[in-house]
Amino acid sequence: MQRWLMKTEPGTFSIDDLRTRKTEPWDGVRNYQARNFIRAMRRGDAVLIYHSACPAPGVAGIAKVASAPKPDPTQFDPKNHHYDSTSKREDPRWTLVDVQFVRKLKRVVPLDEIKALTGLGDFALTRRGNRLSVLPVTDKQWNAILALE
DNA sequence: GCCAACGTTGGC
DNA sequence: GCCAACGTTGGC
């Protein structure tokens, strides 16, 4: 089983929204590196849900991958904000997985506390200037973050 | 709202 | 292939 972190803006879609929805197609990812991580996902992989672009950025909950990777339908919808007119149905460019709520953390583990952790190796979340919205997490990183909740 | 970082686009 | 311009992300 692999581990991942996926960002969301809580003003748009929060961990509480995921709890209500139970399972949500994680659409709208339009970055090739993030897409390639999504394509590497398998059903049952573990996911940290991260709140970004908000007053208290940090890890808010746990989810799991609930489907195989599949084409993101919003790329073909001209009315959708994430519409991609250059993506072809016979060769879809953008991919999503369904994400299923598991639980909220006891508190949102703040980004600055995660940044203060040491000895966790390379971590895309805390790399300077990082903007990746989907990124891999090692067992050690996962456990260190959950130890802070 | 500001701004640093970074990806993408397009002219050449 | 270079690189300036532009758009987006995301912390602060």
Side-chain angles (χ1 to χ4, degrees):
Chain A
M1 183 202 66
Q2 308 168 97
R3 302 184 190 276
W4 309 94
L5 180 146
M6 300 175 92
K7 295 181 184 174
T8 183
E9 299 187 14
T12 303
F13 190 84
S14 70
I15 188 69
D16 287 321
D17 294 321
L18 183 61
R19 181 172 56 179
T20 302
R21 302 267 303 167
K22 295 188 174 65
T23 300
E24 183 74 3
W26 210 262
D27 59 25
V29 173
R30 295 292 182 271
N31 169 283
Y32 286 105
Q33 207 179 344
R35 181 205 68 181
N36 292 341
F37 287 135
I38 289 174
R39 288 184 175 180
M41 289 180 177
R42 296 296 175 261
R43 193 188 296 264
D45 283 358
V47 179
L48 293 174
I49 300 296
Y50 177 87
H51 282 174
S52 67
C54 60
V59 175
I62 297 175
K64 64 182 178 183
V65 175
S67 75
K70 54 192 175 183
D72 178 345
T74 65
Q75 70 196 297
F76 302 120
D77 177 3
K79 295 190 189 67
N80 191 283
H81 182 248
H82 298 290
Y83 177 58
D84 182 350
S85 63
T86 65
S87 181
K88 301 188 180 73
R89 282 188 182 274
E90 63 273 20
D91 183 23
R93 174 171 302 156
W94 304 112
T95 306
L96 62 71
V97 290
D98 292 339
V99 172
Q100 183 180 349
F101 178 81
V102 173
R103 70 175 178 90
K104 289 178 71 169
L105 300 196
K106 298 185 194 83
R107 63 171 186 134
V108 176
V109 173
L111 178 60
D112 56 0
E113 292 185 29
I114 296 169
K115 281 180 174 171
L117 294 169
T118 56
L120 295 183
D122 187 42
F123 194 10
L125 181 67
T126 53
R127 253 184 245 149
R128 199 170 63 105
N130 169 65
R131 293 160 47 195
L132 255 190
S133 61
V134 178
L135 52 101
V137 176
T138 66
D139 287 7
K140 192 186 266 189
Q141 291 159 357
W142 177 283
N143 292 331
I145 290 168
L146 291 195
L148 293 173
E149 74 168 313

